[in-house]
Amino acid sequence: RLYIPLPIESDRRTLLQVMLKKNKHELTSHDMDQLARDTQGFSGADLKALCTDAAMGPIRQLGPRALEVEVDQVPPITFKHFKRSLKGTKPSVAPSDLL
C-alpha cells in the first residue's frame, strides 16, 4: 500500500484556488482561509468533489430557469455554496487509516 500524505492547510488553500481559477466566484481571501481550515482531513480528490458540488450551487439556485439562462447569467459561486456542500461532502480517508 502506498501512503500519500493528506494536504496541509496551506496546500488545501492552494488546491482550492487552482480548482476555482476558471470559475466565476466571489470567495474572498478570508473565505479561502476558512475553507482550508474547514477541510481538515480532505484529500485532493475530496477537494475536487467539494468544488464540483459547490459549483453546482448557483445552477441549483436557478432551478428550472437554469435551462433558459446564458452562461454569463449564472450567478457566481459563493462561500454559502461551499458551506452547503461541506454538509454533504466528508473526507474519504478515515482517521484510523492515517499513520
Side-chain angles (χ1 to χ4, degrees), residues 58-70:
I59 296 167
R60 290 185 195 110
Q61 186 178 323
L62 290 171
R65 287 184 335 126
L67 299 172
E68 303 164 4
V69 299
E70 298 295 323

Side-chain angles (χ1 to χ4, degrees), residues 61-90:
Q61 186 178 323
L62 290 171
R65 287 184 335 126
L67 299 172
E68 303 164 4
V69 299
E70 298 295 323
V71 172
D72 62 338
Q73 294 175 322
V74 175
I77 304 165
T78 65
F79 187 67
K80 177 180 71 172
H81 296 124
F82 270 94
K83 291 306 276 182
R84 283 190 188 138
S85 294
L86 274 169
K87 290 179 183 177
T89 307
K90 301 298 177 207

Side-chain angles (χ1 to χ4, degrees), residues 1 6 10-11 17-18 21 24 26 29 34 36 41-42 47 55 60-61 64 66-67 73 75 78 92-93 97:
R1 198 178 235 203
L6 295 174
S10 60
D11 294 339
Q17 289 174 318
V18 169
K21 189 165 61 172
K24 184 169 69 169
E26 292 182 345
S29 180
Q34 185 63 49
F42 278 52
L47 292 172
R60 290 185 195 110
Q61 186 178 323
L67 299 172
Q73 294 175 322
T78 65
S92 61
V93 179
D97 290 339

